[in-house]
Amino acid sequence: MDLSPLLDSLNDAQRQAVAAPLKPTLVLAGAGSGKTRVLTHRVAWLVQVENVSPHSILAVTFTNKAAGEMRSRIEAMLSLPAAPLWVGTFHGIAHRLLRMHWREAGLPQAFQILDAEDQQRSVRKLIKSLNLDEARWVPKEVTWFINAQKDEGLRPKHLKADGDPTREQLIRLYAAYQESSDRAGVIDFAELLLRVYELWRDNPDLAAHYRARFRHVLVDEFQDTNTVQYKWLREVTGSTGIPFVVGDDDQSIYGWRGAKIENLHQFRRDYPDVQMFRLEQNYRSTGNILAAANGLIAQNSGRLGKNLWTSGEKGEPVRLYSAYNERDEANFVVERIREWTSKGGNRRDCAILYRSNAQSRAFEEAMLAARMPYRVYGGLRYFERAEIKDALAYLRLMFNRADDASFERVVNLPTRGIGNKTLDTVRDYARANACPLWQAAGATLTQLGVKAGTSLHAFLALIERLDKETQGLALHEQVDRVIEQSGVIAHHQKEKGERGEARVENLEELVSAARGFDTEETGDMSPLAAFLSHAVLESGEGQADQWEDSVQMMTLHSAKGLEFPLVFLCGLEEGLFPHQRSATDPARLEEERRLCYVGLTRAMQKLYLTYAEQRRLHGVDSYGSPSRFIRELPAETLEEVRPRIQVSRPVFVPRKPMMEEEPVAGVKLGQRVRHGKFGDGIVLELEGQGSHARVHVNFERQGAKWLMLAYANLEPL
DNA sequence: CGTGGGCGGATTTTT
DNA sequence: TCCGCCCACG
């Protein structure tokens, strides 16, 4: 067999990992070192060289995007459909297994998946129904607690309060939440994983079957696995399976949601014969960028150890800009991007990265003002929009009458005269009889007033009728019928303004989505059931203009796995990054440092770091000092950027003694000035120091504006 | 039943 | 500052 296409394009370390003996394998893959290549080539190697049947390969990732990428790359390499091979996210695979083995897993066949919002809603309802104080038992925190236990693989019965009354109550809430979820036949995301783990643990025959089948289990981003995912891996590999895991301890940034970096260490202990490979050659960034990143991450303790290197150029130094405030910071970035595009660069190759979403605002405003197309990642995804969830709730209720969350969501949407009082009666009955709201509604009809009773009856009849009438219809016709007859479309059509229009469009898009939904591979699930699960598990990016050439803006977390020729890492201030809430705990501080490392290693050619001396956050101005991460970068990789024009600052606050200042001729209070875009105006105020001086000008036509003196190019008149 | 104003809370996010 | 939630009022 000619192996050249498989190994030729790989470097030494990659080749060794790909062609490694069939033993438990850990690949430590640095940022930009070709991790995905190694994974996909390994699959091809197993199939083509080791004659492993694709049937016995299970490849797991965290995101749908990664799974899709892996699947298509594998298909391309094997030049055959990867269908027999299981490639998917942890949650996707868990879902598939539970659909097949719902009985053994103790689930109703029609079980539905609860997304994060549904889950929190359900917890809140529970807290209310138990008459607990919502201020003391914050739904968000309670949900957090429940998920954290599930991520650890723990059920209420495993938990001990140890005399802590708060904990005791939380455990009770967990148990109550689980009971109500079970009754409704819904499972949340964490439950998907936990159920599969328990499924295997409690059904040795089933576990044995899958162990025999999936001899090869490949895991991507292994540093992000949580406890239950790791237990899951242990279950499925047993003593015979061969795990091949790829990860980077330096890029572990999800500890706060249960990811266990220790799983990397644990893996080496649990699989005695483990072979380890390091991918350290980086194909992404310039030498300087790597040197900066290496220098930073070296400050962390307990690393498995890794040093990225490149055979490429050293490149430009990393540039550091100290902004006066967040607007100055944004303008600086806009200017640099202008420069980039004026030299022929694409906007889509520029990324603005920040620690928290709130920071996007200043950048958006600056982009808007500069008429520069941009795209912010991390907005609401398509299937998470309220109107879409409403429509889906109808469908879910039709599919599963016991789905209380969906019942609550749509029973009075659009309003049909079923108020809180009516619902309370129904809820009380449901609680007393431990039955679904649907059933309770039917049973309480007679106890209700004529008006409420009629309305509620009409609602029940509507669902029944929709269910009956849409049987046998194509999926998209079902969806169409439902949004039509339920009145949701009409409801939003009545809504005034663009918002209503957008919602109607979204709903129409749902019909198209249903039309385009591939019902081929749904197995024995009904197309509707498959579509509903799909909607929850893959909530969809849903950004129409993603192909427009636009500047990319996102948090550092969502930037993981991406790369850009030009990167701005912004808001490098103490308290913001590292974040205040991580500052006191050394472990969390190290995670922040890894986050910074992830940010630095996104950059291919040019990297700018910025911070603001003054920042308005949540309506209050605060003065931060430069992030410690800046100090931790090797000085020789850094260069401070100075604005083109040096301006005077009040002598009594000499903040930057190194800088040479010269007053800008002619710009003083009351001075008439001319601006290229805004026309003529009068200087009202001057403020700020050094390069950050700003000037407040009252323009005759455009009104008063604050400008950065350094960029304004004002002409004295 | 629907809306407007007051209140509190505001890392990070995938599934 | 801004958003989402709750409650009170019309």
Side-chain angles (χ1 to χ4, degrees):
Chain A
M1 166 116 211
D2 180 18
L3 306 179
S4 45
L6 256 181
L7 300 180
D8 263 8
S9 57
L10 304 176
N11 68 31
D12 238 27
Q14 292 172 334
R15 200 174 298 137
Q16 277 179 37
V18 166
L22 303 189
K23 290 199 302 180
T25 307
L26 170 60
V27 180
L28 275 183
S33 67
K35 160 182 76 101
T36 314
R37 277 173 87 73
V38 166
L39 268 173
T40 49
H41 283 244
R42 174 67 173 183
V43 170
W45 176 267
L46 290 175
V47 174
Q48 294 180 338
V49 180
E50 303 281 0
N51 287 318
V52 168
S53 159
H55 191 73
S56 59
I57 297 175
L58 174 63
V60 202
T61 64
F62 275 84
T63 66
N64 291 303
K65 200 171 148 214
E69 229 160 79
M70 178 138 52
R71 174 170 286 275
S72 59
R73 282 170 77 161
I74 290 171
E75 281 179 0
M77 290 196 66
L78 297 179
S79 55
L80 54 92
L85 196 127
W86 279 33
V87 183
T89 62
F90 276 101
H91 292 85
I93 285 166
H95 176 240
R96 188 167 173 179
L97 288 164
L98 291 179
R99 285 287 171 205
M100 289 164 66
H101 304 291
W102 52 273
R103 222 185 297 267
E104 295 92 325
L107 289 167
Q109 185 170 18
F111 77 85
Q112 288 289 301
I113 304 166
L114 227 50
D115 74 10
E117 193 201 328
D118 294 337
Q119 186 189 22
Q120 194 167 306
R121 203 183 268 263
S122 160
V123 170
R124 178 181 294 124
K125 256 186 6 225
L126 181 76
I127 292 169
K128 275 203 179 131
S129 78
L130 295 173
N131 285 322
L132 293 171
D133 179 9
E134 261 193 84
R136 173 89 177 78
W137 308 99
V138 186
K140 205 168 149 191
E141 286 164 13
V142 176
T143 311
W144 182 276
F145 173 84
I146 293 172
N147 287 335
Q149 305 316 312
K150 291 189 177 190
D151 286 347
E152 287 295 310
L154 300 170
R155 293 295 185 189
K157 63 175 181 207
H158 300 127
L159 300 170
K160 290 210 184 68
D162 290 324
D164 176 350
T166 303
R167 192 172 158 82
E168 195 182 322
Q169 179 66 274
L170 284 170
I171 296 169
R172 267 205 299 274
L173 283 168
Y174 176 13
Y177 163 78
Q178 199 54 50
E179 254 170 58
S180 89
S181 298
D182 290 346
R183 210 179 310 128
V186 293
I187 61 180
D188 55 65
F189 287 129
E191 185 75 17
L192 275 169
L193 303 175
L194 183 49
R195 280 284 168 137
V196 170
Y197 164 65
E198 290 173 346
L199 174 71
W200 280 341
R201 189 196 56 194
D202 302 338
N203 296 272
D205 293 349
L206 204 62
H209 166 79
Y210 281 104
R211 251 177 236 154
R213 171 168 176 185
F214 294 123
R215 290 291 315 284
H216 296 273
V217 184
L218 294 87
V219 183
D220 191 16
E221 305 278 16
F222 187 71
Q223 77 283 351
D224 287 338
T225 50
N226 62 29
T227 301
V228 76
Q229 283 161 337
Y230 185 70
K231 286 182 175 206
W232 198 86
L233 176 72
R234 293 282 292 147
E235 274 304 323
V236 71
T237 52
S239 54
T240 52
I242 302 165
F244 185 96
V245 307
V246 181
D248 181 1
D249 54 332
D250 292 334
Q251 290 189 74
S252 161
I253 55 175
Y254 286 112
W256 53 273
R257 65 178 198 209
K260 289 277 185 301
I261 209 172
E262 305 90 76
N263 284 347
L264 276 167
H265 303 99
Q266 192 62 37
F267 183 84
R268 296 169 74 188
R269 264 174 263 140
D270 287 342
Y271 297 89
D273 210 15
V274 67
Q275 49 188 343
M276 195 159 125
F277 301 93
R278 277 191 169 76
L279 307 183
E280 299 178 292
Q281 182 173 5
N282 175 289
Y283 295 95
R284 179 185 291 160
S285 313
T286 63
N288 259 319
I289 293 170
L290 289 182
N294 283 333
L296 177 85
I297 203 66
Q299 323 266 332
N300 270 6
S301 63
R303 300 172 57 217
L304 288 168
K306 197 166 19 61
N307 219 32
L308 294 180
W309 60 276
T310 175
S311 61
E313 288 174 19
K314 199 161 171 243
E316 300 169 25
V318 176
R319 303 248 156 69
L320 174 67
Y321 179 67
S322 140
Y324 170 61
N325 60 17
E326 77 278 357
R327 287 192 288 164
D328 177 27
E329 181 182 48
N331 289 331
F332 172 80
V333 170
V334 168
E335 278 309 313
R336 297 286 84 72
I337 295 175
R338 273 227 183 95
E339 238 170 65
W340 171 267
T341 53
S342 73
K343 287 180 193 153
N346 290 320
R347 280 185 291 266
R348 71 168 64 84
D349 291 335
C350 312
I352 304 174
L353 310 181
Y354 36 77
R355 176 69 233 271
S356 65
N357 285 309
Q359 288 170 257
S360 75
R361 197 197 166 90
F363 293 106
E364 288 189 73
E365 279 168 4
M367 297 272 175
L368 244 24
R371 292 169 199 248
M372 188 178 277
Y374 66 89
R375 178 171 181 230
V376 183
Y377 282 73
L380 257 200
R381 274 177 281 267
Y382 177 72
F383 284 113
E384 287 166 3
R385 300 192 179 158
E387 63 275 18
I388 299 303
K389 289 191 66 170
D390 295 339
L392 292 176
Y394 271 100
L395 291 161
R396 288 169 66 137
L397 193 57
M398 285 160 55
F399 185 71
N400 171 17
R401 301 286 196 283
D403 189 337
D404 284 354
S406 295
F407 183 96
E408 291 254 13
R409 186 167 188 115
V410 297
V411 65
N412 198 32
L413 192 132
T415 42
R416 45 173 74 89
I418 304 170
N420 233 322
K421 212 164 148 244
T422 311
L423 281 178
D424 270 338
T425 316
V426 176
R427 289 192 198 107
D428 283 345
Y429 183 94
R431 199 168 325 128
N433 295 278
C435 73
L437 291 171
W438 175 269
Q439 212 178 309
T444 47
L445 276 180
T446 50
Q447 305 169 25
L448 298 167
V450 183
K451 204 170 130 229
T454 321
S455 308
L456 188 56
H457 182 256
F459 173 72
L460 300 181
L462 170 72
I463 299 293
E464 293 285 9
R465 197 182 78 231
L466 279 173
D467 189 16
K468 207 169 296 150
E469 286 180 3
T470 58
Q471 293 287 336
L473 287 184
L475 184 58
H476 71 273
E477 290 170 321
Q478 277 183 308
V479 176
D480 193 32
R481 189 73 70 96
V482 167
I483 59 177
E484 194 66 46
Q485 310 240 332
S486 63
V488 265
I489 275 266
H491 173 71
H492 291 302
Q493 272 162 349
K494 269 187 282 181
E495 211 175 334
K496 47 196 177 296
E498 285 176 30
R499 228 166 124 124
E501 274 172 52
R503 295 208 156 130
V504 172
E505 276 171 32
N506 283 336
L507 285 166
E508 280 160 358
E509 221 173 296
L510 185 65
V511 180
S512 329
R515 191 182 283 118
F517 183 66
D518 186 9
T519 47
E520 291 291 304
E521 280 184 55
T522 55
D524 45 4
M525 239 192 290
S526 76
L528 178 57
F531 183 65
L532 290 173
S533 301
H534 164 85
V536 190
L537 284 173
E538 302 179 33
S539 42
E541 269 287 310
Q543 298 247 3
D545 52 356
Q546 59 179 307
W547 298 117
E548 193 191 349
D549 184 29
S550 50
V551 175
Q552 314 286 301
M553 294 167 47
M554 68 195 82
T555 62
L556 287 157
H557 282 92
S558 30
K560 193 166 84 151
L562 305 178
E563 58 180 27
F564 305 90
L566 172 58
V567 166
F568 298 89
L569 184 41
C570 304
L572 279 158
E573 294 131 52
E574 280 296 303
L576 189 59
F577 190 30
H579 197 273
Q580 199 77 60
R581 295 166 78 140
S582 306
T584 46
D585 177 353
R588 297 180 68 177
L589 198 58
E590 293 208 338
E591 182 156 308
E592 296 275 318
R593 191 174 284 112
R594 292 193 291 269
L595 191 56
C596 187
Y597 175 78
V598 165
L600 299 175
T601 52
R602 298 311 96 195
M604 300 164 80
Q605 298 162 26
K606 279 169 178 277
L607 174 59
Y608 284 95
L609 311 179
T610 65
Y611 69 91
E613 291 170 3
Q614 187 187 99
R615 181 178 297 275
R616 193 178 200 108
L617 214 57
H618 308 315
V620 269
D621 283 323
S622 54
Y623 301 82
S625 49
S627 169
R628 69 191 73 190
F629 298 150
I630 294 175
R631 256 177 292 131
E632 291 172 0
L633 299 174
E636 67 276 13
T637 64
L638 265 188
E639 183 185 289
E640 195 153 354
V641 180
R642 291 160 191 209
R644 282 157 289 177
I645 304 175
Q646 313 281 319
V647 268
S648 71
R649 64 188 148 78
V651 272
F652 46 87
V653 266
R655 283 218 220 159
K656 290 215 175 112
M658 322 136 66
M659 236 179 241
E660 289 285 314
E661 326 287 353
E662 266 179 32
V664 167
V667 178
K668 49 186 186 245
L669 292 185
Q671 171 74 45
R672 272 189 75 79
V673 291
R674 178 166 293 161
H675 182 272
K677 209 162 29 175
F678 303 133
D680 295 356
I682 305 236
V683 175
L684 299 176
E685 286 175 82
L686 283 160
E687 90 170 34
Q689 304 88 42
S691 55
H692 312 302
R694 300 190 312 147
V695 56
H696 198 188
V697 183
N698 191 17
F699 290 106
E700 282 159 11
R701 275 174 292 137
Q702 315 264 342
K705 284 190 194 313
W706 277 103
L707 302 166
M708 289 300 299
L709 195 44
Y711 302 139
N713 272 326
L714 294 174
E715 180 193 339
L717 293 177

